[in-house]
Amino acid sequence: VLNEPKPINLKSELAAVGELWEPRVVGQVNDYDVCIAKVDGEFVWHTHENTDEFVLVLDGELRLTLRDGNGERELILSKGSGFVVPRGVEHRPAATGASILVFEPTGTPTTG
Amino acid sequence: VLNEPKPINLKSELAAVGELWEPRVVGQVNDYDVCIAKVDGEFVWHTHENTDEFVLVLDGELRLTLRDGNGERELILSKGSGFVVPRGVEHRPAATGASILVFEPTGTPTTG
């Protein structure tokens, strides 16, 4: 570990991202992943039944719509803002060109 | 949850931080905390025996020195760079005025 400690440069990692909405794992903390993703347009509605999910906006603006039986609520998250999507809450991320960091258990399916 | 979804604004959260090196929990992901801290000067050498720890530099520059029986290795982490300190690795953070984000299990002692 001490021979090759590997700093994580988010800018370089983002430059290596190809697909939109495809999380790239940049670090592992026990059984959790630190991921980054480039996002654009509207993603699908989904729910993570068994885990919370932390999202931090690195660049641009993320629109995160939450919904339950009573209706929808849209959150606008700008650069430097984050949100913990609680387990079981249906949500749909959307953006006009943004990059995000996500912290979630390893193996969490992107679409819930 | 949908009535009062609470975005986390890192800038506002940092403005509310008083003590240096004192993590402020800004979000919880299952049994992990998302924390921020203002750091300045040299912290103590310490080791987290049972957990990895992710650090991301939000502002300024963090100098993270790692050591084992063979010597020391200093990492310079600038804004937008991060590092996962593996469990069991002795480390000492230092800075000349920086702010950081940390992901770690809830209850992880600051000094290992």
Side-chain angles (χ1 to χ4, degrees):
Chain A
V1 166
L2 267 65
N3 288 333
E4 300 198 37
K6 191 176 164 284
I8 302 159
N9 183 292
L10 295 185
K11 206 167 231 178
S12 317
E13 295 288 349
L14 280 167
V17 167
E19 289 291 305
L20 292 170
W21 299 106
E22 197 62 54
R24 175 182 173 86
V25 178
V26 298
Q28 284 195 285
V29 182
N30 307 323
D31 49 353
Y32 280 68
D33 287 339
V34 181
C35 308
I36 53 168
K38 284 184 189 163
V39 298
D40 188 63
E42 219 171 66
F43 199 62
V44 295
W45 282 102
H46 64 285
T47 308
H48 307 286
E49 292 298 350
N50 300 311
T51 182
D52 304 331
E53 178 183 39
F54 174 68
V55 181
L56 175 67
V57 178
L58 299 174
D59 233 323
E61 185 180 272
L62 186 74
R63 298 184 301 279
L64 191 59
T65 311
L66 313 175
R67 78 176 170 196
D68 67 8
N70 294 321
E72 298 184 3
R73 170 77 69 132
E74 188 187 54
L75 294 181
I76 306 284
L77 303 176
S78 52
K79 180 176 175 169
S81 286
F83 186 67
V84 178
V85 181
R87 68 181 64 196
V89 171
E90 200 182 9
H91 57 287
R92 182 190 60 198
T96 312
S99 49
I100 58 174
L101 178 147
V102 175
F103 184 61
E104 63 190 7
T106 301
T108 302
T110 313
T111 53
Chain B
V1 166
L2 267 68
N3 287 333
E4 300 197 39
K6 191 175 163 285
I8 301 159
N9 183 292
L10 295 184
K11 206 167 231 179
S12 317
E13 295 289 348
L14 280 167
V17 168
E19 290 290 306
L20 292 171
W21 299 107
E22 196 62 53
R24 175 181 172 87
V25 178
V26 298
Q28 284 195 284
V29 182
N30 306 323
D31 49 353
Y32 280 67
D33 287 339
V34 181
C35 308
I36 53 168
K38 284 184 188 161
V39 298
D40 188 62
E42 219 172 64
F43 199 61
V44 294
W45 282 103
H46 64 284
T47 307
H48 306 286
E49 292 297 352
N50 300 311
T51 183
D52 304 331
E53 178 183 37
F54 175 69
V55 181
L56 175 67
V57 179
L58 299 173
D59 233 323
E61 185 180 271
L62 186 74
R63 300 185 300 280
L64 192 58
T65 311
L66 313 175
R67 78 175 171 197
D68 67 7
N70 296 319
E72 298 185 2
R73 170 76 71 131
E74 188 187 54
L75 294 181
I76 306 285
L77 304 176
S78 52
K79 181 176 174 170
S81 286
F83 186 67
V84 177
V85 181
R87 67 181 66 197
V89 171
E90 200 182 10
H91 57 287
R92 182 191 59 197
T96 312
S99 48
I100 59 175
L101 178 145
V102 175
F103 286 131
E104 63 190 7
T106 301
T108 301
T110 313
T111 52

